[in-house]
Each structure stands twice: as structure tokens, then as C-alpha cells.
Amino acid sequence: MNSKSESLFREAQSLLPGGVNSPVRAFRGVGGDPLFIDRAQGCYLYDVDGRRYIDYIGSWGPMVLGHGHDAVLAAISDAVSRGVSYGAPSAPEVKLAREVVNRVPSIDKIRFVNSGTEAVMSAVRLARAATGRNKIIKFSGCYHGHADSMLVSAGSGVATMGLPDSPGVTEGAAADTLIAPYNDLDAVRQIAADAGDGLAAIIVEPVAGNMGVVCPVDGFLQGLRDLATGCGALLIFDEVMTGFRLSRSGAQGVYDVTPDLTTLGKIIGGGLPVGAYGGRADLMEMVAPQGPVYQAGTLSGNPLAMAAGLATLLQLNDGAYERLENNSRRLQEGIVTSLSTHGIRGTVQRAGSMLTLFFGRESVRDFEESKACDRERFAKFFHAMLKRGVHLPPSSMEAWFVSTAHDDQVIDETIAAVGESLKECAQ
Ligand SMILES: *Cc1c(COP(=O)(O)O)cnc(C)c1O
């Protein structure tokens, strides 16, 4: 007997490449077929066959308040009643901009776009224009969206597909992208020295989430700051994942390092498609129409998306971050205890409400170490968890996202499922 998910997936495969609109959703990293989701509420996903799952994908980051939060839905409904898009300025753009500028000290001015990819692409263009230089240093295993120049050594989505690079990215587009290992300041210094005065920017996930969660080692981010300043390049923090998740001002607030430009996405749209880039006024004033660096968007600053983003940010007060921290720490501790109970080698790396269980290693500090983890065991573990009603991200190299809707009881249920699942895949 076929489930509704199975028949939908079969039809989807005849219409969409791989049956999906974004590769990781297709379960290639863990095997099997993806579930089709019918609705989501709080910390739960409900599939088209009527089964309920505790959700740790959180739409890959945006759903920090859980699904269907009252305040967010009310803001979207109110916006809908005024029409869905104008192509002319509207108040919600100013309100969300004000909120972001208030929260993130390094951002004086901001431009809204429609995705994280677009944010990064635009920030890189701006950095090149501002410095009159071409080269960009990015880190192996960091993902900055799928713009050509960033699709080099780009982490989980690409890596679990077994594609180190993508066909279709020209040598020219990739040639100015220099790759450094994450958390290795000496290597970055060497690469920057080799680039001479051609280096426009260093772009980094200040806490890496796209090779699984890898935190910066002490001094790494400050070292990048000093290096960029020293050679006249810009420092870009890609906070598409970490922005408003790790603190009111993102990872830069936690680590107290100030980038020149910041890219945002995910949470800033409250589940609707939004990205943004912002930073120092003198840089942002180079963007058209104030300056010559062209960048535009038919739906940019869309009133629905602005409303959803603003409503989400307004819920993210100190209490919310405390709750996220406490529940995530409890989950981490529960998994770690369970690993040792079952004698399974592994580690749980966590930054606030994003965490990754890596099998087969005691710590992971860069992409090479992430790739060296036991992906087969993760695949078994993933399916054991799914069977028990817990939907993890379907890849060993992704962050799990905890939301404010994951309460104590849900965390306990998850830890219980982890115990049973680890037992099942201990052999
Ligand atoms: C998700 C992500 C992106 C890409 O954002 P999209 O909205 O998927 O284009 C870029 N950078 C980081 C750090 C991300 O996590």
C-alpha cells in the first residue's frame, strides 16, 4: 500500500528535478523518500498521511518561534488584508529596518532582498565596488547561498550530494574565490598575503552551521577582523542562519566582533522569503539609487514578508533567548548522556538553539573533520528517530533548530527517542 507521501513523491519526481525544490529535502543524505508536509503547528510537522513529528528542521532556521505563532499569523493576515505587494515604498519596510538597526550595532543602513543567496551576492558586489578589488576569501564548508562565486567548497548541501563544485560555475566565476580552512587563522593569513592588495573581502559564517554546527575557536573571528583591517579588505559576517538566533544581535553580539557588512535571511522573514544586507553607512550609501552599485528586486521589501519578520523579531526578547538556550542545552546534555550510556563515540556541538550530533569524533573544528564523521550511522539514527516521530534535518552535516515552542516535555520526548534510536543503531 502506498502512502500519500510516496505517491506525491513519485509524481513530484516527474515534474521537479529530484522531486524537490531544494536538494537536501530529497533525503539523499540519509536514503529513503521524503515526507510531504500538510501543515505545521508549534514544534510539530504533520505529514499528508496524518502523522505528527517533532520538528527540528524549523524550515532550516526561520521558525525560531515554532510554526503558526499567533503574533506572526496575525501580522501576516493584517498585511494580506491590505494587498500583497505594491512595488512602491511602504511603512513595514521602515519598521523592520528600524528594528534591525536598533538590534545590530554594526548595521547603520540595510537593504532588503528576497533570499540569503541574494543578500550574499549583493554584499560581495558591494565589497568589490567599495575596495576596487576582486578576490574574496571564503571558508571551506561554509555555505553562502548558490551564487556562482560562492559555490566553491560550499558545505553540506553540495557535499552530501557528492559534488565538490557545481557544473555550470565558470572557472572565471570561481577564480577570485580563495578557500581557507575554518578555524585556521595562520592559513587565512597566508592566503591573504598571497592575494596581496587584491583582497576585497573575507566572508565567514561567524558560527558555522552548514557543515554541522562548528563554533569559532578563541580569537578566530577577532583575528579575521584584524587581518581584514590590516590589508584594507572588508569583513562580511554571513549571519543568514545565526542572525537573531544566537542573540538579539546575532553571533557578532555573542563574540563581540564587528564586521563591515552583515548578511541576513531566514529569521528576518519569519518564514516568508526575505534576505537583507547591511552595515556601515559609508558602504551602504554606495548602493543604488544613493550610489552606483546596482541592486534591485521586484518583490524586495514585500509587505507580507516585512510584517512576518517584524512580528518575529518583536517576540525575540531576553526571555525567549533564555528559553531557547535552556531547552537546547537540555537537549544537548540528554544526547551526550545517551551516547555514553550506549558506548557510542560522538559529540554534540551547539551554539544557542542550533546544534549538531556528529558520530565518530570527539570534536569537529572544520570541514575536513565534519566530512570524517560517521554518516552511515547518522543515516540509521535519522530513520530510527523518524520512526519515533522526530523529524531531524535529513543530513549528517546540518544544524538542528530548536524553537521557543519546543517545551520541556517535547525535549524530554526527544531525548527518550534519542535513547531508543541510539540503542537501535549501536551495533
Ligand atoms: C541558508 C543560508 C544562505 C542562503 O540563504 P537562502 O535564503 O537559502 O538563499 C546563505 N548563508 C547562510 C549562512 C545560510 O545558512
Side-chain angles (χ1 to χ4, degrees), residues 203-222:
I203 185 166
V204 67
E205 288 182 72
V207 169
N210 287 290
M211 53 178 137
V213 174
V214 176
C215 294
V217 296
D218 278 353
F220 180 60
L221 296 176
Q222 186 60 48

Side-chain angles (χ1 to χ4, degrees), residues 150-269:
M150 291 293 115
L151 264 192
V152 187
S153 199
S156 56
V158 188
T160 54
M161 294 282 299
L163 302 173
D165 271 319
S166 172
V169 174
T170 64
E171 281 165 29
D176 286 324
T177 307
L178 311 173
I179 302 300
Y182 198 77
N183 273 330
D184 186 345
L185 206 47
D186 287 337
V188 192
R189 289 197 182 108
Q190 188 58 54
I191 292 165
D194 293 346
D197 60 6
L199 187 65
I202 301 173
I203 185 166
V204 67
E205 288 182 72
V207 169
N210 287 290
M211 53 178 137
V213 174
V214 176
C215 294
V217 296
D218 278 353
F220 180 60
L221 296 176
Q222 186 60 48
L224 296 182
R225 174 67 279 176
D226 297 342
L227 180 63
T229 306
C231 61
L234 301 184
L235 180 63
I236 305 174
F237 274 3
D238 183 352
E239 297 229 39
V240 169
M241 189 185 290
T242 52
F244 312 111
R245 179 164 284 280
L246 298 195
S247 81
R248 280 175 63 91
S249 50
Q252 54 194 272
V254 175
Y255 291 92
D256 198 22
V257 175
T258 307
D260 300 294
L261 293 171
T262 299
T263 53
L264 296 165
K266 298 191 171 125
I267 287 176
I268 204 180

Side-chain angles (χ1 to χ4, degrees), residues 78-352:
D78 178 64
V80 165
S81 73
R82 296 158 192 275
V84 297
S85 179
Y86 318 131
S90 64
E93 299 165 74
V94 184
K95 285 189 191 153
L96 183 56
R98 171 66 63 203
E99 193 61 35
V100 174
V101 166
N102 284 346
R103 282 172 190 243
V104 187
S106 73
I107 299 182
D108 302 325
K109 281 194 170 177
I110 185 168
R111 167 60 61 83
F112 292 108
V113 294
N114 301 295
S115 68
T117 294
E118 222 187 304
V120 169
M121 195 180 79
S122 311
V124 167
R125 180 183 303 139
L126 175 56
R128 286 175 166 154
T131 57
R133 300 166 169 191
N134 292 342
K135 294 198 185 306
I136 306 288
I137 293 180
K138 90 171 269 296
F139 293 89
S140 165
C142 282
Y143 178 66
H144 302 294
H146 65 89
D148 280 1
S149 68
M150 291 293 115
L151 264 192
V152 187
S153 199
S156 56
V158 188
T160 54
M161 294 282 299
L163 302 173
D165 271 319
S166 172
V169 174
T170 64
E171 281 165 29
D176 286 324
T177 307
L178 311 173
I179 302 300
Y182 198 77
N183 273 330
D184 186 345
L185 206 47
D186 287 337
V188 192
R189 289 197 182 108
Q190 188 58 54
I191 292 165
D194 293 346
D197 60 6
L199 187 65
I202 301 173
I203 185 166
V204 67
E205 288 182 72
V207 169
N210 287 290
M211 53 178 137
V213 174
V214 176
C215 294
V217 296
D218 278 353
F220 180 60
L221 296 176
Q222 186 60 48
L224 296 182
R225 174 67 279 176
D226 297 342
L227 180 63
T229 306
C231 61
L234 301 184
L235 180 63
I236 305 174
F237 274 3
D238 183 352
E239 297 229 39
V240 169
M241 189 185 290
T242 52
F244 312 111
R245 179 164 284 280
L246 298 195
S247 81
R248 280 175 63 91
S249 50
Q252 54 194 272
V254 175
Y255 291 92
D256 198 22
V257 175
T258 307
D260 300 294
L261 293 171
T262 299
T263 53
L264 296 165
K266 298 191 171 125
I267 287 176
I268 204 180
L272 290 177
V274 187
Y277 63 108
R280 271 174 25 214
D282 63 305
L283 295 171
M284 292 306 293
E285 284 166 5
M286 293 185 69
V287 176
Q290 198 165 357
V293 181
Y294 193 71
Q295 183 271 305
T298 301
L299 294 176
S300 295
N302 171 268
L304 267 58
M306 297 293 103
L310 182 63
T312 300
L313 291 197
L314 293 180
Q315 297 296 315
L316 289 172
N317 53 24
D318 292 346
Y321 287 111
E322 212 175 287
R323 177 121 140 251
L324 288 169
E325 171 67 23
N326 290 339
N327 288 346
S328 308
R329 190 194 313 111
R330 247 161 47 76
L331 177 58
Q332 176 186 31
E333 288 168 356
I335 302 170
V336 168
T337 303
S338 213
L339 282 170
S340 69
T341 303
H342 297 287
I344 296 176
R345 192 164 177 229
T347 183
V348 181
Q349 298 195 166
R350 180 177 74 85

Side-chain angles (χ1 to χ4, degrees), residues 337-415:
T337 303
S338 213
L339 282 170
S340 69
T341 303
H342 297 287
I344 296 176
R345 192 164 177 229
T347 183
V348 181
Q349 298 195 166
R350 180 177 74 85
S353 55
M354 40 194 271
L355 57 91
T356 300
L357 163 55
F358 292 102
F359 285 110
R361 289 190 67 90
E362 266 82 56
S363 74
V364 173
R365 50 172 269 156
D366 61 22
F367 193 38
E368 288 308 309
E369 293 185 354
S370 172
K371 282 194 292 191
C373 288
D374 187 344
R375 293 191 225 176
E376 269 173 45
R377 195 186 293 256
F378 180 83
K380 278 190 208 153
F381 175 75
F382 170 86
H383 284 289
M385 290 292 281
L386 196 63
K387 204 166 68 185
R388 291 173 175 84
V390 182
H391 202 317
L392 301 174
S395 160
S396 59
M397 280 195 257
E398 298 288 355
W400 310 3
F401 295 104
V402 177
S403 78
T404 53
H406 290 73
D407 60 18
D408 284 352
Q409 193 192 326
V410 166
I411 297 291
D412 285 341
E413 284 171 25
T414 306
I415 293 171

